[in-house]
Amino acid sequence: MIDLKGEEFLNKCYKELHMSEEVMHTAQNKDSKAEKVHRYMDRLERVNKKAIKRKNDIANLKKLYHKKYVIKEENIPDYIDEKSKKQIIKDQEESLDKWLDYLLDSNSPYPTWAKYWVFQGMLKIGTYNEANNTYHKRNKKTINPFIEANPEVIAKCIDLVTKHVNSEQINDNDLEKLIESGSFAKIYTLCSKKQKNKVLRRSNINDGIWIKYNYETKEEVEEKEKKGIIPEYMKLFNSLQDYNTGWCTAGSKQYAKDQISGSDFYIGGDFYVYYTKDINGEYKVPRVAIRMVKNNIGEIRGVADESQNVEEGFENIIEEKLKTFNNITEENLAKNMKKVNDSRKLTELNQKNKRKEKFTEEDIVFLYELNDIITTFGWNNDEKIDKILSTRNIQEDFDTLKEKKNQIEFIAHAEYKDITNLSIKNKDLVPDIIDRNYHSLIYLDHSLRKDKELILEAIKRNYMTLSYADSSLKKDKDFILEATKINPQTIVYADSTLKNDKKFLKELGYQTNRYLIKDNKSFFKLSLKKLKNIIINNSSNNNKTR
């Protein structure tokens, strides 16, 4: 009798799988849910085995997968140029091929149902969010490559699920709960994290060595390969496998080759990797990479997060290495030293935040990027920034600032970043806030929003500031009369009860009422005809007065 526990597990993970078109294509009327899925798995296995036998067939099979799962050009944002769009598609194809190569390998010892579970789960994994230790969900518009395939972690995931399917004991409560949910993405995430933490915990960051992979021309590479000598790019590529670096160099032999020997996308140059000891005491764990562009630094990458930022504590190691590059330009050196110093400061603040120590004004200015942008090693912001910010008391940080310039920048930053829970109680700041960005008055304390004198002074600088006044002022006829004397356009921000008050509109006069017609938001609840009559009457009265 055929064991269908794996297929039953798939049906639990994917409720509608047994009724899907592809499964029903091979099903028979008498089949149970599990038997339907088994027939489909059997067909998948036969197709894959047949394709593996011939190179062209496997290439065609990959094309089918590319067509179905790789991002379409029309789904890539318009602001990305054509060359970069093609590179995004290529990156996804190559990263998807890594999974296909592993799962379709004839030596891969897993049942087809398990491979299906892995592959379908992998397709849902997007970019990693270090702040909450989860992966974003992937969709048809995700531009990042597919997650790096780690055979060791894949094997661990399948082993755990197989034990679960066979009702075997799993001595890990966290994993037991995740396996019960059937989510490959969650299990893979946790296993990857545990593996990486295990490697890094055993590695003293100061006990490491730099290894240089020398620049080689394409011709030199070809000559070496003809002679059976391993070229530099292959030494580099092989050294990065199974360490979850997230570097594209580890995900593609072609990338490793392009980065050292050059291509249309890369100029080429030497490549340095800093390795710490593995569990066997050998310098094999990659922690930092420096890719050179001729004599200058192209990029410095780490393994702290999916954006490839550098881990805490590596700043001094990188700085010392930078000092050894004699032919680097002053500009390039300064650019990378700023990254080192910013990373060092970020590490300091992260530790300070964990100890719950009070931040200084200088700390706040740096963290909120009030004077300068924090430069990081990764292709995206260091996730420590969001991690620290998520724990901060915004009001306390603002109150720490004593310099007026910094206070104004903080308020503008808060409005730009859509930061809430900030209240401004110092009325002396209002004129500068209006000059910087009047929308930042959204943070004005409610007591100040009711301050008639303050709001009238604010209107002198910008009539639109009335929009942030307390609703009681917008309903106050005397106040609105005073406001429209300063600037007739303020009428558009008055309460609708006043804008529909015929007597009040007559009192305001033509110069004020004409702004109501121009205001697209408020043709009031009066008809346009009635409004015009009011304005005509106002105009007639004004003429009689003259």
Side-chain angles (χ1 to χ4, degrees), residues 48 52 58 61 65 99-106 108 115:
N48 291 339
I52 290 168
I58 195 69
L61 186 61
Y65 279 101
W99 286 89
L100 294 173
D101 288 339
Y102 181 67
L103 295 175
L104 296 177
D105 192 310
S106 58
S108 183
K115 293 180 184 180

Side-chain angles (χ1 to χ4, degrees), residues 383-403:
E383 291 179 353
K384 285 197 294 291
I385 298 173
D386 288 338
K387 211 167 187 177
I388 298 171
L389 287 172
S390 67
T391 67
R392 302 301 301 169
N393 183 308
I394 302 300
Q395 190 65 49
E396 287 182 7
D397 283 347
F398 174 71
D399 293 339
T400 299
L401 301 173
K402 303 305 175 187
E403 288 191 28

Side-chain angles (χ1 to χ4, degrees), residues 322-433:
L322 295 185
K323 292 177 181 177
T324 67
F325 297 147
N326 298 322
N327 297 322
I328 191 173
T329 65
E330 289 185 13
E331 182 183 2
N332 190 254
L333 179 61
K335 176 183 174 182
N336 284 283
M337 278 306 302
K338 184 180 186 308
K339 292 181 180 180
V340 170
N341 292 327
D342 284 359
S343 180
R344 185 181 283 127
K345 180 67 175 178
L346 203 53
T347 294
E348 175 195 326
L349 292 189
N350 194 33
Q351 294 304 318
K352 203 171 183 178
N353 195 54
K354 287 178 180 178
R355 295 192 298 267
K356 297 185 177 179
E357 293 180 15
K358 186 174 175 59
F359 279 19
T360 65
E361 181 160 7
E362 179 189 349
D363 295 337
I364 301 301
V365 168
F366 174 82
L367 179 62
Y368 290 90
E369 303 176 285
L370 304 185
N371 291 339
D372 198 4
I373 293 172
I374 298 173
T375 56
T376 56
F377 292 107
W379 51 265
N380 207 345
N381 279 343
D382 193 318
E383 291 179 353
K384 285 197 294 291
I385 298 173
D386 288 338
K387 211 167 187 177
I388 298 171
L389 287 172
S390 67
T391 67
R392 302 301 301 169
N393 183 308
I394 302 300
Q395 190 65 49
E396 287 182 7
D397 283 347
F398 174 71
D399 293 339
T400 299
L401 301 173
K402 303 305 175 187
E403 288 191 28
K404 191 174 185 180
K405 175 177 71 73
N406 291 335
Q407 292 173 333
I408 300 302
E409 286 299 326
F410 188 98
I411 294 164
H413 173 89
E415 201 280 324
Y416 171 71
K417 291 286 188 179
D418 197 23
I419 295 173
T420 56
N421 304 323
L422 175 63
S423 178
I424 303 167
K425 298 179 181 179
N426 183 359
K427 63 169 63 179
D428 292 337
L429 293 175
V430 171
D432 293 287
I433 292 171

Side-chain angles (χ1 to χ4, degrees), residues 224-274:
K224 275 191 172 183
E225 288 175 337
K226 285 179 183 177
K227 294 179 179 178
I229 301 172
I230 301 175
E232 292 290 282
Y233 85 87
M234 277 304 300
K235 292 179 184 177
L236 169 62
F237 177 80
N238 291 335
S239 77
L240 303 179
Q241 298 309 295
D242 301 336
Y243 287 103
N244 295 329
T245 61
W247 304 338
C248 60
T249 319
S252 167
K253 293 177 185 177
Q254 187 61 49
Y255 276 161
K257 185 177 181 180
D258 291 348
Q259 288 174 349
I260 287 183
S261 300
S263 65
D264 292 339
F265 195 75
Y266 294 105
I267 293 175
D270 297 332
F271 203 107
Y272 298 84
V273 178
Y274 185 79

Side-chain angles (χ1 to χ4, degrees), residues 167-184:
S167 302
E168 295 178 27
Q169 186 68 34
I170 299 171
N171 299 316
D172 191 316
N173 292 332
D174 292 335
L175 283 170
E176 186 79 63
K177 292 176 183 176
L178 292 183
I179 294 165
E180 187 68 34
S181 73
S183 171
F184 171 77

Side-chain angles (χ1 to χ4, degrees), residues 277-331:
K277 289 182 178 179
D278 64 8
I279 57 176
N280 298 316
E282 298 181 67
Y283 294 104
K284 288 188 174 181
V285 184
R287 309 290 284 277
V288 181
I290 301 178
R291 180 178 65 82
M292 304 299 289
V293 176
K294 292 186 177 179
N295 294 325
N296 284 322
I297 296 169
E299 59 185 352
I300 300 175
R301 297 294 196 226
V303 296
D305 54 36
E306 195 150 296
S307 292
Q308 302 171 13
N309 284 293
V310 172
E311 301 161 82
E312 292 188 355
F314 278 88
E315 296 85 7
N316 291 340
I317 292 168
I318 296 171
E319 182 177 4
E320 289 303 311
K321 187 62 180 175
L322 295 185
K323 292 177 181 177
T324 67
F325 297 147
N326 298 322
N327 297 322
I328 191 173
T329 65
E330 289 185 13
E331 182 183 2

Side-chain angles (χ1 to χ4, degrees), residues 72-82 84-85 143:
K72 306 296 185 292
E73 192 165 333
E74 61 265 24
N75 289 330
I76 301 176
D78 293 335
Y79 65 81
I80 297 178
D81 60 73
E82 290 303 313
S84 297
K85 285 182 178 180
I143 63 174

